Amino acid sequence: MRKKFLEAWERAAKCLELTREDLVALLSSDDEESVAIFQLADEMRARFVGEEIHFRGIIEFSNHCARNCCYCGLRKDNLELARYRMPPWEIIESAGRAAALGCRTIVLQSGEEAYYSGEILAAIVRAIKKDNDVAITLSVGDRSRQDYALFRKAGADRYLLKHETSDPRLFAALRPGTSLEGRLERQRWLAELGYQVGSGNMVGLPGQTLETLADDILLFRRMGIEMAGIGPFIPSGRTPLSGDTGGTMAMTLKALATTRLAMPCAHLPATTSAATIDPQGRVKVLQCGANVIMPNMTPAQYREDYSIYPGKIGLNDTPEESYARAVKDVENVGRHVGVGYGHTRQHKRVV
Ligand code: 5AD
Ligand code: SF4
């Protein structure tokens, strides 16, 4: 093993704050070194966040989007996609179904668009909270500070707003009309409003280097991120990046395990994209530092059209089947489904 790698690994094992150089040394690991990172990440996961795997049932309630992100199948210029919007009653009903199955967190996700006003989304949050003992995460992209305040007042606990890439130039190129600074400003607003803030990135974006990935992790840490969704970039048809090679499972596992070493208490989900590029993807990431699963609770008839990238798993499953598959994966890794809301440690007393 390389000296630089060993030094970084030892610093991680002692829970010392990892530097950019440490992170690059870990991310550049060869096969043998990777095994050492994966083992340590799994140990740190057990020690700091335990054996519970938290379920966050996700409802993809609309695939309309006003943005044109170069990597995403929901981009507005993809005219071949059939678009849908679930009516509020159906979102609320789906949340109830997810809660009845056992999800203690409901994630409401959509493309970025103004159709659902701040008031309507707040009313949906309020209705779900009134009837179910759940935490709510919103993942509806860039909105006004006023809207974020409304959602929070209505009872939303967490907000997922990924920074996608820490490279400002790459960010601006991939997300036309937006900036990394604007994204981070919103993450700051959300934290100020009392949300637990989730972020995330994609592994294998064109133009991304190991240094970019190291900076992604440093950015999670600097922003006080409580959950980081790390998944491979999967090239999607009818997008400008359709001919790209995309991210690998090996690099995704390294990025995830290194994030666990850098932020031992973070919630790290097994992303659907990781499960999509490798049939064993979910189990693999759960053994390399991940501690959250987001079972798909979207009604079956909408799933096919929430096609951010091709080959997404579970398109023909009902919420019940998706939940059962997630339980099976938890059993396969010998752990158990979380019983509480699954807040991060520093937020345990909030609810
Ligand atoms: N491959 C993998 N993940 C993607 N996302 C969007 N497009 C892709 C893709 N082609 C992720 C982004 C976004 C979330 C909704 O899906 O991280 O935040
Ligand atoms: Fe819209 Fe989000 Fe896809 Fe960008 S990544 S096109 S904002 S759904």
Side-chain angles (χ1 to χ4, degrees), residues 63-76 110-112 141 164 174-175 183 202 306 308:
N63 69 352
H64 283 261
C65 191
R67 296 241 191 261
N68 241 337
C69 302
C70 297
Y71 45 79
C72 178
L74 303 193
R75 68 199 307 270
K76 83 164 179 234
S110 69
E112 289 191 17
E164 313 289 5
L174 294 179
R175 299 181 54 90
R183 198 74 163 175
M202 278 176 280
Y306 203 80
I308 293 178

Side-chain angles (χ1 to χ4, degrees), residues 1-17:
M1 290 188 193
R2 295 161 305 148
K3 185 162 169 281
K4 268 204 167 131
F5 172 84
L6 273 176
E7 280 170 9
W9 188 92
E10 277 167 13
R11 285 170 54 75
K14 288 187 200 147
C15 297
L16 296 174
E17 188 158 306

